[in-house]
Amino acid sequence: QVQLVESGGGLVQAGGSLRLSCTASGRIASDNAMGWYRQAPGKQRELVADITVSGRTNYVDSVKGRFTISRGSAKNTVYLQMNSLKPEDTAVFYCTYRSAKYMYWGQGTQVTVSS
């Protein structure tokens, strides 16, 4: 079992920045990926970015060049640095942990970008 705890959400003006953090605890597989999904009202949940233990990353096209995902040295934390935020980034952001067999979700943290 893996527990994910998120922090860093909040309200920011367009063009501003936020940094989301998530820490995983429990039985962490040696091969895993952590990432962030987001879901805006009326829209499907989408993968924003994820990162493997080895550091391989991928991003949804809409955030490329603006968001950066990274992991701490202990590999049980994941960060999402969000710059140049846009109102359309407003969503509940969910931290995820994925192993070969399971996927776990954080409780979600609200990110609101005002115009």
Side-chain angles (χ1 to χ4, degrees), residues 11-19 66-67 81-87 89 111-114:
L11 174 65
V12 66
Q13 294 183 6
S17 298
L18 285 172
R19 184 177 177 88
R66 299 189 297 122
F67 292 8
Q81 178 66 47
M82 304 186 293
N83 299 325
S84 301
L85 282 161
K86 304 175 181 180
D89 294 318
V111 171
T112 302
V113 184
S114 63

Side-chain angles (χ1 to χ4, degrees), residues 28-78:
I28 308 300
S30 59
D31 186 15
N32 68 77
M34 296 185 70
W36 296 91
Y37 281 69
R38 67 184 179 187
Q39 187 166 26
K43 299 183 66 177
Q44 67 180 37
R45 191 171 298 183
E46 68 173 351
L47 175 67
V48 179
D50 63 11
I51 182 169
T52 66
V53 171
S54 64
R56 186 173 68 253
T57 62
N58 73 93
Y59 299 87
V60 66
D61 285 345
S62 61
V63 309
K64 289 180 178 177
R66 299 189 297 122
F67 292 8
T68 302
I69 191 168
S70 61
R71 295 182 78 148
S73 60
K75 305 300 182 182
N76 68 328
T77 58
V78 63

